[in-house]
Amino acid sequence: TCSFSCSPKGFPKLKNDTFLRAARGEETEHTPVWCMRQAGRYLPEFRETRAAQDFFATCRSPKLCCELTLQPLRRFPLDAAIIFSDILVVPQALGMEVVMVPGKGPTFTEPLKEVEDLLKLRQKVDVTAELGYVFQAITLTRHSLEGRVPLIGFSGAPWTLMSYMIEGGGSSTMAKAKSWLYRHPEASHQLLRLLADVITDYLVGQVAAGAQALQLFESHAGHLGPEQFQDFALPYIRDIAQAVKSKLKEEALPLVPMIIFAKDAHYALRDLAHAGYEVVGLDWTIQPQEARAQTGKDVTLQGNLDPCALYAPKEKIGELVKKMLEAFGTQRYIANLGHGLYPDMNPEHVGAFVEAVHAHSRHINKH
């Protein structure tokens, strides 16, 4: 591993670019596969590494993030790595305190309650000062990967982050956050704009640090109806793609493929396909054929096996993967789950999923 002084320019040559080729719509010999939350609690070695550490302290340690990012790749022939981090580092960069409460999950000590609370947020964020630890983790991991597979950087999308900042944690209804959209539309847009600007700088910084693709997680899209999504989510999703690309050009950085994953936003698939992203991620509640029909030929699709399918016996996982590949087609497609891995999943079943994607897609491509 290298010290942080080494320049990001000296990265090892990439040996397996299948994921990047698929993302750009180029032909691939096999369908690439990775899993959301592939670095996670379902791995005993992850639990061991994380045992003594506070969650966000782990996120702030480039060395630990690097180790956790690499763990799944030591076990499975995945086609991409995704940096170990959390979407809530962005609200932290805005000055909010978030703690990880065992059994409850991430919790904001002082969520936004009134419009006036927006004044407490940093209005100008220096992402290198506030989130430099993520950039260091990316650079270190990119070197430590030794070119094995590409490294994906990510961020939460504005509406998803806003909902956490107002709810103060997870919520089944998002009623507090949604009430802002109805009661305080101007203040909501002000907050979403602030978030979009920080996210843009954050994503550009990740590419400068060595990220080779970017995923934007609009995990709470499903709480919005089509109209609210059109008003409060989609414009910022579009803006981020456009702003990131123009800043990458300005700074002579690589134009990396971008993925949008808006969970449960079926009603917006057509719009998402034209939002400026090379890849549209899908959750498991949409039919592959339906998704292709809605998104057209110019984007790559990613997804969308029900994560709970991994509880099935291994042969059954193989059958489900085969069916999924036949439905999506093996090209312009990146295999993934429709959401992240769950902590009680058997790593061997994750391995069976990855191997099935490779085996069946190669077989389909040959015949």
Side-chain angles (χ1 to χ4, degrees):
T1 53
C2 79
S3 68
F4 293 128
S5 60
C6 68
S7 90
K9 299 290 173 276
F11 288 132
K13 192 169 156 31
L14 186 58
K15 299 173 191 135
N16 169 5
D17 66 347
T18 314
F19 163 80
L20 295 178
R21 290 213 315 274
R24 292 191 295 253
E26 295 164 18
E27 208 170 307
T28 60
E29 282 154 45
H30 67 267
T31 296
V33 54
W34 66 281
C35 297
M36 290 185 270
R37 291 206 204 115
Q38 63 190 25
R41 287 175 297 173
Y42 73 102
L43 291 175
E45 57 270 37
F46 177 95
R47 293 196 295 272
E48 223 168 280
T49 309
R50 278 260 307 108
Q53 286 277 345
D54 162 71
F55 178 81
F56 286 107
T58 304
C59 290
R60 285 189 289 272
S61 160
K63 221 166 163 173
L64 284 174
C65 290
C66 175
E67 166 59 23
L68 293 170
T69 303
L70 295 176
Q71 282 176 352
L73 293 156
R74 293 188 190 121
R75 278 188 184 246
F76 316 116
L78 294 152
D79 292 290
I82 183 164
I83 194 66
F84 176 80
S85 185
D86 194 88
I87 64 171
L88 298 181
V89 299
V90 170
Q92 287 176 334
L94 287 165
M96 295 187 82
E97 193 188 359
V98 192
V99 291
M100 195 55 86
V101 179
K104 189 182 170 207
T107 306
F108 286 73
T109 48
E110 288 179 46
L112 305 174
K113 289 196 172 72
E114 303 303 328
V115 169
E116 296 75 65
D117 293 342
L118 293 182
L119 299 171
K120 296 180 192 165
L121 300 173
R122 280 192 190 103
Q123 300 305 307
K124 274 272 171 269
V125 175
D126 174 347
V127 290
T128 308
E130 300 302 328
L131 296 165
Y133 59 88
V134 180
F135 302 157
Q136 289 179 350
I138 287 172
T139 302
L140 179 62
T141 306
R142 179 81 191 270
H143 282 286
S144 306
L145 274 167
E146 294 173 336
R148 217 177 340 170
V149 293
L151 179 60
I152 304 169
F154 70 90
S155 174
W159 155 249
T160 295
L161 296 180
M162 170 183 171
S163 64
Y164 272 116
M165 290 160 76
I166 295 171
E167 296 291 341
S171 154
S172 57
T173 59
M174 297 290 160
K176 286 182 191 149
K178 285 179 73 178
S179 83
W180 272 53
L181 305 181
Y182 288 106
R183 288 166 42 227
H184 314 302
E186 284 82 10
S188 296
H189 280 299
Q190 197 189 327
L191 175 55
L192 292 162
R193 166 57 44 215
L194 174 63
L195 283 162
D197 291 345
V198 176
I199 290 162
T200 297
D201 290 345
Y202 180 43
L203 291 172
V204 172
Q206 291 185 50
V207 176
Q212 290 154 291
L214 297 169
Q215 177 155 315
L216 191 67
F217 283 88
E218 188 70 281
S219 311
H220 296 168
H223 290 280
L224 301 176
E227 214 165 291
Q228 281 187 310
F229 189 85
Q230 285 287 343
D231 282 351
F232 296 103
L234 188 63
Y236 299 98
I237 288 171
R238 280 193 189 123
D239 285 358
I240 287 167
Q242 210 178 344
V244 166
K245 287 177 175 178
S246 71
K247 286 200 167 178
L248 291 175
K249 273 194 192 125
E250 259 166 53
E251 296 179 26
L253 288 165
L255 279 178
V256 303
M258 294 178 73
I259 308 165
I260 176 65
F261 175 62
K263 192 172 175 293
D264 297 319
H266 308 152
Y267 51 77
L269 274 183
R270 200 158 270 153
D271 289 324
L272 289 167
H274 296 106
Y277 294 77
E278 284 70 27
V279 184
V280 175
L282 305 167
D283 61 76
W284 69 93
T285 61
I286 184 129
Q287 296 276 12
Q289 294 90 335
E290 177 58 21
R292 280 277 181 216
Q294 298 255 356
T295 54
K297 301 218 177 351
D298 298 328
V299 293
T300 292
L301 294 178
Q302 173 177 284
N304 73 338
L305 190 72
D306 181 354
C308 291
L310 296 191
Y311 294 124
K314 289 188 200 170
E315 307 70 67
K316 177 73 178 161
I317 294 171
E319 287 164 33
L320 292 167
V321 164
K322 181 170 182 274
K323 216 172 112 182
M324 180 171 82
L325 285 161
E326 285 165 351
F328 277 110
T330 58
Q331 301 299 323
R332 259 214 181 277
Y333 174 54
I334 295 162
N336 205 318
L337 303 173
H339 199 225
L341 288 159
Y342 302 149
D344 63 347
M345 285 178 164
N346 180 343
E348 287 186 14
H349 288 220
V350 178
F353 167 66
V354 173
E355 275 152 35
V357 170
H358 286 162
H360 288 297
S361 61
R362 282 202 170 97
H363 183 82
I364 293 168
N365 286 343
K366 277 207 182 90
H367 299 85

